[in-house]
Amino acid sequence: MPFNFELYIPYKPKGMRDSRGRLLKGNTLAKGNTWDKVYDEETAKRQRERAAEMCRNFPRDRPRRHRKVICEGIIYNSIADASRELFGSAVYVSIISKCCRGLRKRVKGKTFEYFYENDEL
C-alpha cells in the first residue's frame, strides 16, 4: 500500500478570524486591503467615524510662521501675499524666499528682503 506523504497546508485568505473574532496569526493588513475586506460592516463604519473624528479634532490653530517682506518700499505680511499681489499667483513663493535669503538677487526685476519691526524704511 503506497503512502502519500504530501504536505497539506490549508488555505486561509487574508482577514480570516478565529472563534473569538481575532485575526489569525500570519495575516497582516497589507497593502491593497481595505476596511471592507478586513473588518465586518459595523466595525468598518466605526473605524471610519473614529478616523474622521480624529481629523476634525486635530489642532489646526497652532501659530503659523509668517515673516513680513518688503519690496520697493511696500511691506507685505507674508511671501505668499507679496507673490499674489505682484505676480497674480503664489507660484513664485520659493523664488521670493531665495531672494530674501540672499541666494538670488531679483524676482522678475523686483528685489525682496525680510522686514523686521525695528528696521526703518
Side-chain angles (χ1 to χ4, degrees), residues 69-93 96 108 110 112:
V69 177
I70 186 168
C71 174
E72 299 175 351
I74 302 171
I75 301 171
Y76 299 96
N77 287 329
S78 67
I79 292 175
D81 291 343
S83 179
R84 281 189 211 104
E85 287 187 32
L86 294 172
F87 308 121
S89 70
V91 174
Y92 296 99
V93 170
I96 294 173
K108 288 190 138 186
K110 300 181 185 288
F112 292 88

Side-chain angles (χ1 to χ4, degrees), residues 54-111:
M54 287 172 59
C55 289
R56 279 193 296 269
N57 292 336
F58 186 76
R60 290 188 173 91
D61 56 344
R62 63 184 182 273
R64 302 283 188 231
R65 191 168 164 224
H66 298 290
R67 293 174 74 179
K68 293 188 177 188
V69 177
I70 186 168
C71 174
E72 299 175 351
I74 302 171
I75 301 171
Y76 299 96
N77 287 329
S78 67
I79 292 175
D81 291 343
S83 179
R84 281 189 211 104
E85 287 187 32
L86 294 172
F87 308 121
S89 70
V91 174
Y92 296 99
V93 170
S94 62
I95 301 172
I96 294 173
S97 176
K98 287 179 183 177
C99 186
C100 291
R101 287 182 282 152
L103 301 176
R104 287 182 63 123
K105 288 191 175 187
R106 292 183 192 87
V107 180
K108 288 190 138 186
K110 300 181 185 288
T111 58

